[in-house]
Amino acid sequence: QKLKLTSERKDCMDQEIEKISKKLMKELDEDRYRHTQGVMYTSAALAMRYGADLKKALLAGLLHDCAKCIPNNEKIDICRKHDILVSQVELDNPGLLHAKAGMVLAEEEYQITDPDILHSIKVHTTGEPGMNMLDKIIFVADYIEPGRNEAPRLEYLRKIAFHDIDMTVAEILHDTIHYLNSKSGAIDPATQITYNYYERYRKETH
């Protein structure tokens, strides 16, 4: 009986993943869809490693970039319509809003109601202080998924991701902040705050 119930739950999960995947395939360009699949499977691997909810990790990984390919003015409109705080940096670089807008789309267009999944989508780019395990999994998976090849130290980050996820978050933030500073790129205030919070993990071991 238990085996039957487990099988039924798995079938429901598979059907939901397949349904969302088909819809996303129409909304995302080919490269973004491929990235999304990579993040979903990497999130699942990290969830199994750290004992997080597998279904939540799969769905959050699959939907984290669901708003990536909509026009920037729509991203701004979605956030304003739902009274989501938008920083000046985000207004100047609306592409950064895909995470916040994605949280809204995941709920309204893909019928995701779980607050943990929605929150992990919202913070997957900037992070935030004191992230929960699902937040950290999506944040890390987005950076290290197999299709990524441009970021520095990827081999190292992929290795430590399965040993110390907090340190991985700290190292990703460190690399991101230093890359943006070197390019004189705009740094979202939320990313800076998250970097300041997690930098202590680096200082404890370096």
Side-chain angles (χ1 to χ4, degrees):
Q1 181 68 29
K2 184 178 180 181
L3 184 63
K4 183 181 179 183
L5 287 172
T6 302
S7 178
E8 287 174 354
R9 279 199 296 267
K10 183 179 182 299
D11 288 343
C12 288
M13 181 170 75
D14 290 345
Q15 288 170 12
E16 187 172 11
I17 295 290
E18 185 176 355
K19 181 181 177 181
I20 292 173
S21 293
K22 285 180 178 178
K23 186 170 181 177
L24 275 175
M25 202 180 294
K26 299 174 184 175
E27 302 296 329
L28 302 178
D29 61 46
E30 186 177 344
D31 288 344
R32 185 57 46 182
Y33 181 74
R34 192 179 299 117
H35 163 70
T36 289
Q37 293 288 305
V39 174
M40 179 179 71
Y41 291 120
T42 304
S43 297
L46 288 167
M48 288 186 282
R49 161 63 181 87
Y50 290 105
D53 188 292
L54 183 58
K55 181 179 181 181
K56 290 184 182 185
L58 284 164
L59 288 170
L62 182 60
L63 284 165
H64 80 286
D65 270 356
C66 64
K68 189 76 173 183
C69 294
I70 66 174
N72 284 335
N73 63 308
E74 286 187 31
K75 295 183 181 82
I76 295 172
D77 289 345
I78 287 170
C79 290
R80 284 180 169 162
K81 179 183 175 183
H82 291 83
D83 296 319
I84 295 170
L85 185 65
V86 177
S87 70
Q88 187 58 49
V89 173
E90 289 170 326
L91 282 176
D92 294 338
N93 303 271
L96 296 172
L97 287 172
H98 77 275
K100 292 176 178 177
M103 172 186 67
V104 175
L105 288 189
E107 182 171 16
E108 293 187 347
E109 301 294 328
Y110 296 91
Q111 288 73 57
I112 300 297
T113 57
D114 188 289
D116 292 335
I117 296 174
L118 296 173
H119 186 264
S120 68
I121 293 171
K122 179 185 178 183
V123 303
H124 84 265
T125 301
T126 61
E128 70 175 18
M131 289 187 283
N132 64 34
M133 181 55 73
L134 183 61
D135 295 337
K136 289 182 279 195
I137 283 172
I138 305 306
F139 180 86
V140 170
D142 184 37
Y143 199 88
I144 69 167
E145 63 95 0
R148 296 288 201 192
N149 55 26
E150 294 181 1
R153 304 196 303 153
L154 268 173
E155 185 177 345
Y156 165 70
L157 292 168
R158 285 168 175 152
K159 182 178 180 180
I160 69 167
F162 290 87
H163 296 282
D164 188 336
I165 198 162
D166 286 313
M167 179 57 70
T168 311
V169 169
E171 295 285 6
I172 289 172
L173 287 160
H174 174 84
D175 287 356
T176 300
I177 290 287
H178 283 265
Y179 171 78
L180 290 172
N181 281 331
S182 72
K183 300 289 185 182
S184 299
I187 298 175
D188 189 290
T191 303
Q192 185 68 56
I193 291 168
T194 309
Y195 166 78
N196 294 341
Y197 178 90
Y198 282 96
E199 182 65 3
R200 63 194 172 97
Y201 288 98
R202 294 187 73 256
K203 290 179 177 176
E204 287 171 3
T205 57
H206 287 280

